[in-house]
Amino acid sequence: MFPVKVKSFAKVNLSLNISGTAGGYHLIDTVVAPIDIYDAVCVRPRVDRLVGVCMHGKGSEGIPPEKNNAVKAGEAFVSAFGTRGADIEIYKDIPMGAGLGGSSADAAGVLNAMAKLYKVKDGAALKALADALGSDTGYMLGGGFARLSGRGERVEPLKSPRTYHMLLFVPGTPVSTAECYRRYDAAPDPLRADSAALSRALAAGDFAGVAKNVYNALQAPACALNGEVAEALEAAASFSPSACAVTGSGSAVFALFESEELCLWAKSRYRGKFAVRAVRTVQKGGPALRSPFALGEGEGR
């Protein structure tokens, strides 16, 4: 039995600007929205200080422990708070290498679960651990709609009274985030999203204002690096959504629709090669925990 179970949600980047560099990192300005795909993190205590992580689903079983952010998160937690270790099982439903924040979600989920298990309530210390693990891991601790800046560690929570419906197109091959940024540096995009306007539109429930400001500075380099991303964008655009874009550095693409009916119509009409998921935004907390395998590859509502 696992006494603690938490869910860690995926995100999409509604907008993503590159603001410059500092200390070897790219500085970003991005508005993110949580969607109803999540990884389930199950934790039980150990009598020693070791951390064991067992991954399930989406090809995660082959991740080497030394490259697994969930392992790093567990070990960092034990070291920082002096607790015992934990046995951790993660059931993945967030596609890997898709720009949906799956690795960060797993790390944040482990920190949240272990904090609950060992009754650690030092939010600032947890945030510091998360920021050290990845640029958006600190955001993933709390999730929700937010505007991120700096390396992604500066989190400005946003309000959104409206639910947004999207159709995700998920190519089977990932995009190298490091190479994507290098491509951007070689040919920066002069366009920029108005993140402030997008934030205001979210708060007002202004769908048109949100759609107008969807943009990703990494979209062109992601398409150049992976032809499937360009194909996915073309497929998304063929349904005349209100907006469509790459999320993160790819490879997933989202198409934004004004209603769930339009989104499900597009999903029912798609006959291409990519896995597709009809998703919606969620508030903090999201729906009740369900089986992480309730939706399989290419499935959805």
Side-chain angles (χ1 to χ4, degrees):
M1 289 290 294
F2 289 88
V4 174
K5 300 176 183 179
V6 303
K7 46 195 173 184
S8 211
F9 288 87
K11 57 80 182 169
V12 295
N13 297 84
L14 295 175
S15 68
L16 177 57
N17 293 322
I18 310 300
S19 307
T21 58
Y25 292 95
H26 284 85
L27 303 178
I28 62 173
D29 177 15
T30 180
V31 174
V32 293
I35 57 174
D36 63 345
I37 299 175
Y38 62 84
D39 291 349
V41 181
C42 308
V43 178
R44 66 185 170 208
R46 293 176 61 103
V47 297
D48 54 28
R49 291 170 58 85
L50 298 179
V51 173
V53 176
C54 187
M55 308 291 294
H56 305 274
K58 301 298 180 185
S60 61
E61 295 84 356
I63 301 175
E66 65 274 11
K67 293 185 178 180
N68 191 332
N69 269 359
V71 175
K72 295 177 183 178
E75 292 175 344
F77 183 95
V78 171
S79 177
F81 298 108
T83 66
R84 289 177 291 155
D87 289 320
I88 302 167
E89 301 220 4
I90 298 178
Y91 296 86
K92 288 197 66 64
D93 197 27
I94 303 175
M96 294 172 58
L100 296 167
S103 177
S104 295
D106 291 344
V110 167
L111 293 178
N112 279 328
M114 291 188 71
K116 187 174 181 180
L117 181 68
Y118 289 115
K119 297 179 173 54
V120 171
K121 298 181 180 180
D122 189 341
L126 283 170
K127 176 68 161 54
L129 282 184
D131 287 339
L133 290 165
S135 295
D136 57 359
T137 308
Y139 153 72
M140 288 287 189
L141 279 176
F145 289 84
R147 183 177 178 181
L148 314 182
S149 58
R151 294 188 293 109
E153 81 282 5
R154 299 176 191 162
V155 181
E156 176 191 350
L158 301 174
K159 294 182 179 180
S160 177
R162 179 171 183 151
T163 298
Y164 294 85
H165 297 276
M166 308 172 202
L167 187 60
L168 279 183
F169 295 77
V170 186
T173 53
V175 175
S176 166
T177 299
E179 186 59 31
C180 199
Y181 275 106
R182 281 193 287 269
R183 287 288 185 109
Y184 176 87
D185 290 340
D189 189 340
L191 296 177
R192 290 183 62 82
D194 189 337
S195 294
L198 177 51
S199 300
R200 291 192 298 270
L202 282 172
D206 175 9
F207 179 86
V210 169
K212 177 183 177 182
N213 288 288
V214 168
Y215 164 83
N216 187 339
L218 295 177
Q219 184 162 294
C223 289
L225 287 168
N226 185 342
E228 287 195 333
V229 178
E231 289 181 51
L233 269 172
E234 184 177 354
S238 72
F239 294 105
S240 300
S242 297
C244 58
V246 170
T247 179
S249 59
S251 59
V253 168
F254 67 91
L256 177 65
F257 292 92
E258 193 164 6
S259 70
E260 182 176 28
E261 289 75 19
L262 284 171
C263 186
L264 293 177
W265 170 84
K267 181 180 182 295
S268 71
R269 297 283 177 161
Y270 179 62
R271 297 292 184 270
K273 66 180 184 180
F274 301 121
V276 293
R277 299 282 295 265
V279 301
R280 67 180 73 188
T281 58
V282 295
Q283 300 295 330
K284 288 187 179 183
L289 186 64
R290 58 169 171 77
S291 165
F293 294 114
L295 294 178
E297 199 69 42
E299 296 177 345
R301 288 188 311 278

